[in-house]
Amino acid sequence: MENKYVINWEKYASLARQAAAEGAVLLKNDDQALPLKKETISVFGRIQFHYYKSGTGSGGLVNAKYVVGITDALLEEENLSVNEELAEVYRSWIAEHPFDQGSGWAQEPWCQEEMPLEEKLVEEAAAKSDAAVIVIGRTAGEDRDASAEKGSYLLTDLEEDMLSKVCRAFERVIVVLNVGNIIDMKWVDKYRPSAVLYTWQGGQEGGHSVADVLTGRVNPCGKLADTIAHDISDYPSTENFGGDTFDLYTEDIYVGYRYFETFARDKVLYPFGFGLSYTGFGITCSPAEHRDGETIVRVKVTNTGALPGKEVVQVYVNPPQGKLGKPLRNLAAFAKTKCLVPGEEQELTLKFSDYDIASYDDSGVTGHKSCYVLEKGSYEVYAGTDVRSAEAAGSFEIPETEVISVCTEAAGPVRKFERMRVGKGGVLAWEEVPVRTHKMQERVQTETLPDITYTGDKGYTLGEVFDGELSLDEFLAQLSEEDLCCIVRGEGMCSPKVTPGTAAAFGGVTESLQRYGIPCGCCADGPSGIRMDCGTPAFSMPNGTCLACTFDTELSEALYEMEGAELRKNRIDTLLGPGINIHRNPLNGRNFEYFSEDPYLTGMMASAQLKGMARYGVTGTVKHFAANNQEYHRRLLDSVMSERALREIYLRGFEIAVKEGKAYSIMTTYGAINGLWTASNYDLLTTILRKEWNFDGMVMTDWWADLNDEGGPASTDNLAAMVRSQNDVYMVTQDSLTNKDNLMKSLKEGTLKRGALLRSAGNICRMLMKSPVMERSLGRMSEEEKNAGEVMAGEDKVDFDITYHKVDGKLVLDSTEIDTSKGKSVVYGILLDTFGSYTVRLKVKADGSELAQIPVSVFANGHLEGTITINGTNGEWIEIEKTIGPLFGPHNYIRLYFAQGGMKIQTVTVELQEEMSRGF
């Protein structure tokens, strides 16, 4: 019988490769410059050898076994001849100009130094080649935004010089963009390359996917998930992006194409949904049918070209302006065909509900305040292959304004400002934003909480609730105030209570809680693969933007089913992803993790990933709830927006993930929305998420998040505000029992009720009972899962029991027995009382001569601290060292990786170098 926990890595790689290829967007292809045929090509740009598999930070630190570069993949192509003389020039130059890793957390430069090109070198390459491929790369990153400067959003002088010289010398030039986010594209008209292909960051199989598209093995079928405008200043959010303490969302609901198609069509270089193919397609629509709250559009797609390929159909709605004012285009549905051979047809049926196209009235101008409405008038439907080319596909009338959903005013602004709207004649106009008319604190104080009388220990376990022998309330009644305070504190990072190297443990984090049968759930960073800081390898996925550009939910679901199997194998209950914040502005450093400027596309792609992981009983923690649209000062930033923009744009993707994707784990953000930090925002977490959307899962904070009461300052200690608002778990603490916060004090003073803690404890327990850890804790896992960590079918063993060694100023480890042969590594668990920088000192020898070069790479918590290379020592012991850190948590991992054999190690010493302090 096949063991489902033995992952089919070939299938995994194939799906990832396909997804990355289908996410590639062809923006230009003059005179059929692509696909490449049997010919010789010259490849320019250093990133051909330094492929960006993902961005930096927690969303990119996946310890992949391999990463396929672009030139690596092109050299594998039998029908292509790569100019090796040029490639060797680059290799030699790169040896003298190594990749700049930066220093510290997420500090890798956004671009790397480019090799200067001499005219003669380019002309010689042109003389012996049929075409040129230029690779331009950009990373992206957590905790740091892009800038509208050279080397970030703009090209560098050397990149422009490369484009200029290569485009002059070659008749055919193909530009490949290995980037996390969209970049400035004015250079296309300036240098006029023959073809331009966005390939994003495609994970460890990214190089193969680029080769697949360039050679035509995969016909490009990706569509832009964002609008590309002429200039960064053309995006209406740019004016209010990058604030120190707050950003005004004056563009309101007019984000991305909703703005450009309504007010600034002439500012668009490439419209939302755009993407070329190597073949042609014909599209015919039957008139849209609207009845019983649903609209159906039937579209016939025919491959009219000479090559097989896929096409994406997008349906947009232009609603009547009414009293609210609305964008002229709103994505309502999309679908992708199968691969159609020339002449083949496929009929697609696309549907959307009245709720999908309803508008939220936050002012009462329609007579229905705090409601989603369809205003009376004609609703025009458009279908096509992008927002700009979509053609009329019928319309329907709403004779009188209809209330589609009655809501409660929630999370609106207190700061007065003006927002965009459509004025008379369709021109851009402005109006005052409605401000909040209620006190959120009053809602908190009048909230009905669980009324469960404390019984003390009755001997009940959570397993009895899981088996249906006991109610959850009966079980929770046993928990003391100390137990309830502990259960809402997660522990990590790298907690030894769960899979080594992962982000946190939650639930049964104390001995007392474990006696009640509450297991420790495990979460690991994502979303583009599993981050395990102890060095355990994991599969690196294409980034979120790339996957969104596939417009293929079935493919994403299949890919994340494999991710679910990998999570299950590593005993991880939830991946910290998908990330589904809106691409409000191209400069947001974390856009690479997120999907799109459109909330519907975002929600549907997130739902697909959740459904895929659910097939293995695990889930994703959807993040960051909500409006994490800027990395600069993200802990301090207040996103000031109307309730309408919040609901229609920034919450809609999360709503779809909850209702369609059945999400049951959500992470809040670092910053605030309208004055309240999201991790303690009652309206966001209870009024909307729980009461309106009927979410019954668990909510966690981001790591070391701030919290506040309405009108009060933010701090990491105010866990009482968190619990009152129904954010269930604080991530993370060093030790749940001893964490310094205001929970017990608030209980004693009566400002926090036991019922609020019971409510969060219930949410946490329900999460755990939906997770694989519950059955494992009861000893009910199958034999195949018991053996998941063993070596099976060539898979790596997963060591769930790494030993921690306490460093009391200095630690010396006997390392004479470790395997230092080529490709091997060793991991040491390190337990610290003192945070700061540490010296790792190795006593080593090598029998080789002084000409031998033997490297050892030193990693701390998954981050490469540096590589030390020794020569042969003729058998003499020597000492080498590397400074690592600073290290801020108690549980850490040091990994030594041996790229070459021949080194022997006697001892490894870890010694405090410089003490630092950090509050948690």
Side-chain angles (χ1 to χ4, degrees):
M1 184 174 122
E2 182 183 0
N3 188 325
K4 68 179 181 179
Y5 295 102
V6 179
I7 298 169
N8 184 337
W9 295 106
E10 288 186 7
K11 180 181 178 182
Y12 205 164
S14 177
L15 282 168
R17 179 173 176 171
Q18 180 187 353
E22 292 200 19
V25 181
L26 184 64
L27 294 185
K28 186 181 184 186
N29 194 27
D30 293 348
D31 301 321
Q32 296 181 319
L34 289 174
L36 298 172
K37 303 174 180 64
K38 193 169 185 178
E39 50 193 333
T40 299
I41 59 171
S42 288
V43 187
F44 294 86
R46 74 168 296 158
I47 298 302
Q48 64 178 294
F49 295 107
H50 290 295
Y51 181 78
Y52 286 118
K53 66 179 175 62
S54 64
T56 66
S58 58
L61 294 173
V62 178
N63 182 33
K65 285 186 178 180
Y66 65 87
V67 178
V68 179
I70 292 174
T71 291
D72 296 334
L74 293 174
L75 286 168
E76 296 175 9
E77 296 293 330
E78 293 182 1
N79 289 332
L80 288 181
S81 177
V82 176
N83 182 347
E84 269 288 1
E85 292 181 14
L86 177 62
E88 190 55 38
V89 172
Y90 270 100
R91 291 190 188 101
S92 298
W93 184 85
I94 289 170
E96 300 296 324
H97 301 79
F99 190 92
D100 183 0
Q101 299 278 357
S103 60
W105 172 253
Q107 291 303 304
E108 183 180 302
W110 280 74
C111 76
Q112 296 291 316
E113 180 186 4
E114 189 53 77
M115 185 180 83
L117 290 177
E118 296 181 1
E119 295 276 5
K120 183 180 178 182
L121 178 67
V122 179
E123 291 169 358
E124 289 175 349
K128 61 181 66 172
S129 304
D130 300 296
V133 174
I134 296 176
V135 182
I136 294 174
R138 291 288 186 277
T139 190
E142 180 179 2
D143 208 25
R144 192 160 55 100
D145 290 312
S147 62
E149 298 174 355
K150 295 177 180 180
S152 187
Y153 185 70
L154 305 177
L155 297 187
T156 65
D157 291 340
L158 281 174
E159 287 169 337
E160 294 226 24
D161 183 66
M162 175 172 59
L163 281 164
S164 176
K165 289 174 178 174
V166 174
C167 287
R168 283 201 308 268
F170 284 78
E171 290 187 7
R172 286 169 59 214
V173 178
I174 297 99
V175 180
V176 173
L177 298 172
N178 171 207
V179 296
N181 311 334
I182 61 174
I183 63 173
D184 179 81
M185 298 296 290
K186 290 191 289 291
W187 52 267
V188 177
D189 283 340
K190 183 176 181 181
Y191 302 110
R192 299 188 178 279
S194 308
V196 178
L197 181 70
Y198 262 89
T199 61
W200 314 109
Q201 295 163 342
Q204 68 187 61
E205 282 288 329
H208 281 147
S209 70
V210 173
D212 288 342
V213 176
L214 292 179
T215 61
R217 192 161 40 244
V218 172
N219 195 332
C221 53
K223 304 292 182 177
L224 284 176
D226 296 286
T227 304
I228 299 180
H230 283 272
D231 192 82
I232 189 63
S233 63
D234 294 327
Y235 295 91
S237 57
T238 299
E239 181 181 358
N240 290 297
F241 179 85
D244 289 334
T245 56
F246 70 92
D247 281 349
L248 293 178
Y249 285 49
T250 58
E251 71 279 5
D252 205 54
I253 61 172
Y254 297 96
V255 177
Y257 71 84
R258 285 172 166 81
Y259 168 79
F260 289 107
E261 297 305 308
T262 305
F263 299 120
R265 288 171 60 89
D266 61 328
K267 300 294 186 181
V268 175
L269 279 175
Y270 304 100
F272 176 87
F274 176 79
L276 299 174
S277 172
Y278 297 152
T279 191
F281 294 95
I283 292 179
T284 57
C285 299
S286 57
E289 306 168 29
H290 177 262
R291 60 176 176 270
D292 300 326
E294 183 178 69
T295 303
I296 299 174
V297 183
R298 292 180 173 85
V299 181
K300 183 182 290 184
V301 182
T302 306
N303 186 338
T304 59
L307 295 171
K310 298 181 179 181
E311 183 58 290
V312 175
V313 174
Q314 303 154 43
V315 173
Y316 297 87
V317 172
N318 178 16
Q321 286 300 311
K323 296 178 180 179
L324 288 170
K326 304 172 189 74
L328 298 186
R329 292 289 185 275
N330 301 270
L331 182 66
F334 63 87
K336 195 167 191 173
T337 69
K338 64 181 181 180
C339 189
L340 301 175
V341 299
E344 187 177 7
E345 297 179 347
Q346 182 180 356
E347 184 171 280
L348 301 173
T349 301
L350 296 91
K351 302 177 181 180
F352 57 89
S353 70
D354 286 354
Y355 184 75
D356 293 333
I357 60 171
S359 300
Y360 187 79
D361 183 357
D362 59 0
S363 67
V365 67
T366 68
H368 304 285
K369 188 177 184 300
S370 304
C371 294
Y372 283 96
V373 298
L374 287 184
E375 290 197 82
K376 67 178 180 180
S378 177
Y379 287 74
E380 300 169 354
V381 181
Y382 295 83
T385 57
D386 64 68
V387 69
R388 184 63 60 85
S389 67
E391 297 182 352
S395 63
F396 58 89
E397 290 285 329
I398 299 296
E400 296 294 335
T401 296
E402 295 181 11
V403 174
I404 304 302
S405 178
V406 178
C407 303
T408 302
E409 180 192 309
V414 292
R415 183 190 297 264
K416 294 183 178 181
F417 66 102
E418 289 190 329
R419 64 180 172 187
M420 289 182 180
R421 68 157 295 145
V422 179
K424 291 182 180 180
V427 300
L428 175 60
W430 298 87
E431 67 180 5
E432 286 285 334
V433 172
V435 294
R436 194 187 309 166
T437 63
H438 69 280
K439 293 290 185 182
M440 211 178 300
Q441 203 65 25
E442 293 177 1
R443 290 182 176 175
V444 174
Q445 292 167 355
T446 58
E447 173 75 1
T448 301
L449 297 171
D451 185 14
I452 303 172
T453 302
Y454 175 55
T455 63
D457 188 353
K458 294 287 188 179
Y460 301 145
T461 66
L462 189 60
E464 293 173 88
V465 182
F466 182 72
D467 289 336
E469 299 170 0
L470 186 75
S471 74
L472 183 57
D473 284 358
E474 288 176 291
F475 170 77
L476 293 174
Q478 304 174 100
L479 302 186
S480 68
E481 290 184 347
E482 182 179 79
D483 289 329
L484 291 171
C485 289
C486 286
I487 201 172
V488 300
R489 301 171 182 140
E491 290 186 358
M493 296 184 61
C494 301
S495 170
K497 297 173 182 176
V498 289
T499 300
T502 52
F506 62 92
V509 291
T510 64
E511 291 183 5
S512 176
L513 291 169
Q514 289 169 10
R515 283 197 299 271
Y516 289 113
I518 302 174
C520 264
C522 177
C523 53
D525 271 326
S528 300
I530 307 170
R531 170 190 172 190
M532 288 175 279
D533 283 349
C534 61
T536 304
F539 198 93
S540 174
M541 299 283 220
N543 72 4
T545 300
C546 181
L547 293 176
C549 290
T550 68
F551 276 71
D552 192 330
T553 55
E554 291 183 6
L555 179 57
S556 278
E557 186 172 336
L559 177 60
Y560 274 78
E561 180 180 358
M562 303 302 295
E563 180 83 327
E566 192 179 7
L567 289 164
R568 193 70 182 258
K569 176 180 183 292
N570 287 282
R571 299 182 189 172
I572 298 166
D573 300 290
T574 179
L575 184 75
L576 299 179
I580 65 171
N581 291 106
I582 296 299
H583 293 179
R584 179 192 177 217
N585 189 277
L587 300 182
N588 181 11
R590 216 157 182 182
N591 280 350
F592 79 100
E593 288 188 54
Y594 304 147
F595 292 114
S596 169
E597 69 186 22
D598 181 77
Y600 177 73
L601 174 60
T602 292
M604 295 306 291
M605 296 305 297
S607 295
Q609 292 186 9
L610 292 170
K611 290 175 181 178
M613 288 184 277
R615 293 179 184 174
Y616 275 87
V618 293
T619 192
T621 294
V622 184
K623 63 182 187 181
H624 299 89
F625 192 60
N628 190 66
N629 304 312
Q630 176 183 308
E631 288 297 290
Y632 174 69
H633 277 202
R634 58 182 175 161
R635 294 186 69 95
L636 308 174
L637 195 73
D638 185 11
S639 295
V640 182
M641 68 184 75
S642 73
E643 187 187 353
R644 183 181 181 189
L646 178 64
R647 287 179 176 272
E648 289 190 24
I649 304 297
Y650 299 105
L651 294 186
R652 179 55 64 89
F654 290 94
E655 183 178 5
I656 294 170
V658 169
K659 294 179 178 179
E660 173 72 19
K662 309 303 180 187
Y664 56 91
S665 183
I666 286 176
M667 181 196 298
T668 47
T669 74
Y670 282 122
I673 294 177
N674 293 325
L676 274 140
W677 267 250
T678 62
S680 51
N681 190 317
Y682 175 89
D683 271 357
L684 187 67
L685 303 176
T686 297
T687 305
I688 296 176
L689 178 63
R690 309 267 187 186
K691 294 185 176 182
E692 291 187 11
W693 300 352
N694 297 315
F695 175 80
D696 66 349
M698 183 184 83
V699 177
M700 65 177 71
T701 69
D702 207 335
W703 272 226
W704 307 288
D706 287 317
L707 316 123
N708 77 319
D709 289 298
E710 188 173 17
S715 76
T716 58
D717 301 331
N718 194 357
L719 269 63
M722 176 193 84
V723 173
R724 286 193 294 263
S725 297
Q726 214 169 171
N727 188 321
D728 304 303
V729 181
Y730 187 81
M731 294 292 192
V732 288
T733 66
Q734 297 175 47
D735 178 40
S736 179
L737 269 173
T738 61
N739 190 60
K740 295 179 180 179
D741 56 51
N742 66 348
L743 287 177
M744 288 301 293
K745 179 182 177 183
S746 299
L747 277 170
K748 291 176 182 177
E749 293 175 350
T751 56
L752 175 66
K753 305 297 184 185
R754 174 180 166 87
L757 284 164
L758 284 165
R759 182 177 60 181
S760 285
N763 293 333
I764 295 164
C765 287
R766 277 187 287 270
M767 167 74 182
L768 291 167
M769 288 189 287
K770 290 180 180 179
S771 303
V773 69
M774 192 70 226
E775 288 194 333
R776 283 201 303 272
S777 72
L778 295 171
R780 298 177 189 172
M781 55 183 172
S782 63
E783 285 301 315
E784 58 189 43
E785 188 172 3
K786 287 179 184 178
N787 296 326
E790 299 301 320
V791 180
M792 300 180 295
E795 291 198 67
D796 288 331
K797 181 178 180 180
V798 180
D799 187 351
F800 295 111
D801 299 304
I802 290 177
T803 301
Y804 280 88
H805 306 273
K806 187 170 183 179
V807 181
D808 188 7
K810 182 178 180 180
L811 169 71
V812 180
L813 296 164
D814 183 348
S815 301
T816 54
E817 299 298 321
I818 67 173
D819 186 351
T820 61
S821 55
K822 182 178 179 180
K824 295 294 184 179
S825 64
V826 60
V827 178
Y828 299 99
I830 304 297
L831 183 62
L832 304 178
D833 285 332
T834 305
F835 303 160
S837 298
Y838 282 77
T839 297
V840 177
R841 188 175 302 111
L842 312 179
K843 190 172 184 179
V844 302
K845 71 176 182 177
D847 293 331
S849 72
E850 293 180 357
L851 297 178
Q853 294 183 339
I854 307 170
V856 55
S857 296
V858 182
F859 293 80
N861 297 330
H863 180 266
L864 176 62
E865 300 287 342
T867 299
I868 310 169
T869 300
I870 69 167
N871 302 112
T873 68
N874 293 313
E876 298 292 326
W877 291 103
I878 64 171
E879 287 192 341
I880 57 176
E881 63 182 44
K882 186 68 185 174
T883 299
I884 63 171
L887 305 177
F888 289 115
H891 301 101
N892 298 272
Y893 298 96
I894 294 173
R895 181 166 73 100
L896 306 178
Y897 171 76
F898 307 98
Q900 297 292 335
M903 181 185 296
K904 294 182 180 179
I905 302 181
Q906 186 178 83
T907 57
V908 173
T909 300
V910 182
E911 186 172 5
L912 178 65
Q913 183 183 56
E914 182 181 1
E915 182 176 349
M916 298 181 183
S917 62
R918 172 176 176 176
F920 286 86

